[in-house]
Amino acid sequence: NPLIETANTRTLDIVKVELSDTATVLHMNAYYRPKNWIVISSDSYLQIPARKFMLTGAEGITPDSLFWMPKSGRASFVLRFPPLPRGTKSFDFIESDCDDCFKIYGVDLTGKTEYPEYPEGLPKELRKAPKDGPVPDPILAVGETRVNIHLLGFREGMFREISLYVNSLLNGQKSYDSEITSDGVATFKFEQYGTVSAFLARIGIVFGQFWIAPGETIDVYADLQEAGKAIVQRRNNEQPKRAPLYSTGTYGALNTLFNGSETKTIALDTHTGEFADYRMTADEYVQMVASKYKLLADSIARSGMSSMMTELSLLSLQQETLNAFANSRFFLEHNYRSEHNMWDRNAKLDYEFAKLTSENQAMLCKLSISTTRNCRWASVFSNISVQLLLPISIGRNSSRLPVRLPICAK
């Protein structure tokens, strides 16, 4: 049950290593979409400083051939390599040197059971609990922003590029790509209006979400060790935790707290297809949303999160609730399509869904949700598309719905 330092994939796991004078045997688990395939290259090797040990055999899988995943989406096989030198403390598994090949780094052979509290390379000033307090206000200004990404634990050859996805009120989502230097740094520059949310990602891996003030130069530190932790947590049937992310700048404390393990996800969960019942009347729909909001708002208040995360969670829930009121037709229709398995959005539906009246919309005021305040925060939440008094678009193929919500508070 070896610890893994980091990886460029979550498809493979090395669950057991057998060492002897004649061979190094890796017991592998694979996790992938059922009835899809993976490949293990015959050029796979184990790596320690200045030495490589090439694949010598396999059981349960044929190198260079398509391996079709079973219905469970999980499979096991064995890979054999030459013996490692006595006293080897760790090794890397490299499934060939192609950009997209599986790479698992720092497979421990010393019996470690815990990861360090902070990643190597994290500045001392960020190795402390961030200051709690109210959520900083969004900033409505224009400026050129520079984001320096530090990938702590980066290994050369791990991957070449990383993407930054920026979500803003005016421009929606825009992506930027940057090459990674040999010491694991990627730099992004872009014009920015207003506070934005952003997240780092490459294929199959998301490194964290954070907020940026316009015109700032900030440093963001992502711990790639979290990729190894995620593999080990799955192996031990542990619930995955939000990966820590550290940053400087106006929203540094917010970013660190949000990406910390204390944050709980308390949300309406609107896109399951079961959020609403398409048969509901307008009054029933509004009462359902209001009831869920009150229940979840109470859960947030009792969650034990920090003050900043409590406020942020409530703001996010209020954004979702505004979304549910402004786009009732979408959620009712989504339930209808889900129940009837009708996903051709060009096909006309022979059903009349309830329409919310101004009296129904006024329920927002009874819930003490300030639509004006949440308008200022619309760009902060990447998963919410509510824009007060503007056309709203929800869903990849949905039409834009001009909706006006009541002004409940200044």
Side-chain angles (χ1 to χ4, degrees):
N1 195 22
L3 292 191
I4 292 172
E5 183 178 325
T6 190
N8 73 343
T9 179
R10 290 195 63 198
T11 300
L12 295 185
D13 183 11
I14 301 172
V15 297
K16 182 180 178 181
V17 180
E18 294 183 40
L19 302 173
S20 72
D21 293 335
T22 57
T24 302
V25 181
L26 306 188
H27 294 259
M28 314 285 293
N29 281 351
Y31 304 84
Y32 200 55
R33 292 188 296 269
K35 299 182 180 181
N36 281 257
W37 55 265
I38 64 172
V39 172
I40 296 295
S41 172
S42 61
D43 293 327
S44 298
Y45 60 90
L46 304 185
Q47 177 176 268
I48 61 174
R51 294 188 66 180
K52 294 181 180 181
F53 301 82
M54 302 304 297
L55 180 70
T56 58
E59 299 172 14
I61 192 169
T62 302
D64 297 329
S65 297
L66 301 186
F67 180 86
W68 293 91
M69 296 297 293
K71 291 182 179 180
S72 65
R74 174 177 174 171
S76 299
F77 52 87
V78 171
L79 300 179
R80 295 182 177 276
F81 299 86
L84 294 173
R86 288 183 180 272
T88 300
K89 295 182 178 181
S90 67
F91 66 86
D92 304 331
F93 167 78
I94 309 297
E95 190 253 331
S96 188
D97 293 321
C98 69
D99 290 343
D100 296 326
C101 289
F102 302 128
K103 299 179 177 71
I104 301 175
Y105 299 93
V107 182
D108 179 65
L109 297 176
T110 66
K112 289 181 181 178
T113 58
E114 294 183 355
Y115 290 91
E117 182 179 5
Y118 293 105
E120 184 177 349
L122 182 67
K124 289 184 178 180
E125 59 269 24
L126 295 179
R127 298 190 182 203
K128 57 184 179 181
K131 185 178 180 180
D132 195 9
V135 174
D137 288 331
I139 298 171
L140 300 181
V142 180
E144 183 182 72
T145 298
R146 177 188 175 111
V147 181
N148 301 313
I149 303 297
H150 304 264
L151 301 174
L152 304 180
F154 179 78
R155 303 288 193 90
E156 193 167 4
M158 194 174 186
F159 36 81
R160 294 184 180 181
E161 292 186 341
I162 194 168
S163 300
L164 180 70
Y165 295 84
V166 178
N167 301 281
S168 68
L169 180 63
L170 296 182
N171 299 321
Q173 185 177 95
K174 294 186 69 174
S175 64
Y176 304 89
D177 299 322
S178 174
E179 291 190 357
I180 303 169
T181 64
S182 59
D183 56 349
V185 177
T187 299
F188 300 89
K189 291 182 181 180
F190 50 89
E191 288 293 324
Q192 178 181 334
Y193 173 73
T195 296
V196 299
S197 67
F199 63 91
L200 288 169
R202 71 174 303 276
I203 297 174
I205 302 176
V206 177
F207 296 101
Q209 180 181 344
F210 56 97
W211 288 269
I212 312 169
E216 281 193 326
T217 294
I218 67 169
D219 291 283
V220 178
Y221 298 84
D223 182 8
L224 298 189
Q225 191 172 249
E226 294 298 320
K229 284 184 183 179
I231 293 172
V232 173
Q233 287 167 352
R234 178 180 57 193
R235 182 197 305 163
N236 296 333
N237 296 316
E238 298 176 12
Q239 289 295 321
K241 297 179 180 179
R242 196 189 304 271
L245 184 146
Y246 312 87
S247 82
T248 61
T250 299
Y251 300 105
L254 173 66
N255 294 335
T256 300
L257 283 170
F258 177 79
N259 288 282
S261 59
E262 67 130 6
T263 307
K264 301 175 177 65
T265 301
I266 301 175
L268 285 177
D269 202 14
T270 55
H271 285 80
T272 62
E274 300 177 355
F275 171 69
D277 186 327
Y278 72 90
R279 306 170 191 84
M280 286 178 168
T281 65
D283 288 342
E284 289 172 338
Y285 178 86
V286 165
Q287 290 299 326
M288 178 272 295
V289 175
S291 177
K292 288 186 176 183
Y293 171 80
K294 292 175 182 177
L295 181 65
L296 293 173
D298 183 63
S299 295
I300 290 172
R302 294 184 290 104
S303 67
M305 291 187 287
S306 65
S307 297
M308 192 180 296
M309 288 303 97
T310 297
E311 182 184 355
L312 186 72
S313 296
L314 185 59
L315 281 167
S316 180
L317 176 63
Q318 290 176 348
Q319 288 281 315
E320 282 192 300
T321 304
L322 286 170
N323 187 10
F325 271 80
N327 292 278
S328 58
R329 160 67 191 237
F330 172 82
F331 294 113
L332 292 169
E333 179 182 323
H334 191 57
N335 175 253
Y336 183 94
R337 291 184 180 279
S338 180
E339 286 201 14
H340 294 84
N341 196 28
M342 296 178 62
W343 297 110
D344 180 3
R345 294 192 178 274
N346 294 319
K348 186 177 181 180
L349 300 182
D350 187 22
Y351 192 88
E352 188 69 28
F353 300 101
K355 296 180 181 179
L356 271 59
T357 64
S358 57
E359 288 78 11
N360 296 135
Q361 298 281 10
M363 174 63 76
L364 284 171
C365 301
K366 296 180 181 179
L367 295 178
S368 300
I369 295 178
S370 168
T371 51
T372 304
R373 181 178 184 232
N374 275 277
C375 179
R376 296 198 302 270
W377 281 95
S379 65
V380 173
F381 299 99
S382 63
N383 59 330
I384 301 299
S385 300
V386 173
Q387 300 176 29
L388 184 64
L389 307 183
L390 295 175
I392 298 171
S393 177
I394 299 291
R396 186 164 44 186
N397 299 311
S398 61
S399 59
R400 294 180 65 81
L401 306 174
V403 176
R404 287 185 176 269
L405 298 176
I407 300 297
C408 300
K410 294 183 179 180

